[in-house]
Amino acid sequence: MKHLKHIGKTMKFAVLAAAIAGLAQTAGVADAASLHTAKDGDTFFLLAQRYGVSVDELTKANPNIASNNIYAGLQIKVPGEKSVNAASDSKPQLLTEKAPANEGPTIEAWGKTFNYSKIVDVKATAYSAAADENGKWGAVDYYGNPLKLGTIAVDPNVIPMGTKVLVTGYSHPGLPDHSFVAVARDQGSAITGKRIDIFIPGNKSFVNDFGFQNVKLYVIDK
């Protein structure tokens, strides 16, 4: 009987060990699916836009990564259950379903749905934090806040200051793929009419590669 009891215990331990190994393997797959391999130009803001999470969530999920020290090849954990591959391939697209009578039209980007009030076609340029592009005030927006990705300069007669928009139709490695949310926080003497200037972090030559592009703005309802 003692011999049989010993065998029983051995089998229980074997089953338990196999179960633990299976859980560990599953956890490994889950972790791998939620890791983003950084490339040049990545920021927590860009990744938050791409994967539909907040910058705060990304920061908390990666306590050992400094936001100003993201480099190519760095493994960044994306919180939540969203597939990294699926999110990186997503593109903004107009929803074809009719909105309820009490709601306006919507657009979907990065797994989020935005209600918008109108679409504005504008010509866009880009600017950096370089001193010769920002005058005596330095690298700050109209309100005196440090320039950051998501800031655009506008003609307030066309796009009121503080307006939130989804920017689409551009191409530049310093910006999120396909679309990003921006706020009209800056102005410039050269920005008149249907023009915007997009702030992009990076050196002047990198930013100036943006050139002139025709982009589409979806004015997001607050």
Side-chain angles (χ1 to χ4, degrees), residues 1-125:
M1 290 291 292
K2 288 178 66 175
H3 179 65
L4 291 175
K5 192 172 182 180
H6 176 72
I7 292 175
K9 286 184 178 180
T10 302
M11 291 180 66
K12 286 181 181 179
F13 284 134
V15 171
L16 181 60
I20 292 173
L23 287 173
Q25 185 176 10
T26 302
V29 172
D31 287 343
S34 62
L35 288 178
H36 169 87
T37 302
K39 63 180 186 299
D40 288 335
D42 274 352
T43 65
F44 278 155
F45 179 87
L46 284 172
L47 298 178
Q49 291 271 319
R50 173 171 297 179
Y51 297 119
V53 298
S54 70
V55 173
D56 186 55
E57 287 173 321
L58 273 177
T59 303
K60 289 180 179 178
N62 300 277
N64 297 321
I65 298 177
S67 60
N68 61 350
N69 189 35
I70 296 176
Y71 50 87
L74 185 66
Q75 297 291 297
I76 299 174
K77 186 174 182 180
V78 179
E81 300 178 356
K82 192 172 184 65
S83 166
V84 166
N85 291 332
S88 64
D89 293 336
S90 67
K91 297 181 180 180
Q93 56 183 355
L94 288 174
L95 301 182
T96 55
E97 298 178 5
K98 290 185 68 175
N102 61 338
E103 295 182 11
T106 58
I107 186 172
E108 187 179 73
W110 304 124
K112 293 184 177 181
T113 301
F114 301 94
N115 288 84
Y116 66 92
S117 57
K118 64 179 179 179
I119 301 172
V120 184
D121 292 306
V122 298
K123 186 172 289 293
T125 51

Side-chain angles (χ1 to χ4, degrees), residues 120-156:
V120 184
D121 292 306
V122 298
K123 186 172 289 293
T125 51
Y127 66 112
S128 70
D132 61 346
E133 290 190 278
N134 293 282
K136 63 180 181 179
W137 304 109
V140 295
D141 62 25
Y142 182 79
Y143 301 103
N145 301 308
L147 292 173
K148 61 182 180 180
L149 192 61
T151 295
I152 57 173
V154 301
D155 180 344

Side-chain angles (χ1 to χ4, degrees), residues 196-217:
I196 66 168
D197 210 11
I198 301 171
F199 174 72
I200 300 177
N203 63 60
K204 186 176 178 180
S205 61
F206 171 73
V207 174
N208 285 349
D209 284 342
F210 185 93
F212 288 86
Q213 299 186 32
N214 293 316
V215 303
K216 192 179 295 290
L217 307 179

Side-chain angles (χ1 to χ4, degrees), residues 128-204:
S128 70
D132 61 346
E133 290 190 278
N134 293 282
K136 63 180 181 179
W137 304 109
V140 295
D141 62 25
Y142 182 79
Y143 301 103
N145 301 308
L147 292 173
K148 61 182 180 180
L149 192 61
T151 295
I152 57 173
V154 301
D155 180 344
N157 293 316
V158 178
I159 301 173
M161 296 294 288
T163 300
K164 182 183 289 187
V165 297
L166 183 72
V167 186
T168 68
Y170 58 83
S171 177
H172 191 276
L175 294 172
D177 294 340
H178 313 305
S179 67
F180 71 100
V181 174
V183 179
R185 298 191 184 98
D186 211 356
Q187 300 179 23
S189 58
I191 309 303
T192 59
K194 290 189 174 183
R195 279 282 313 278
I196 66 168
D197 210 11
I198 301 171
F199 174 72
I200 300 177
N203 63 60
K204 186 176 178 180

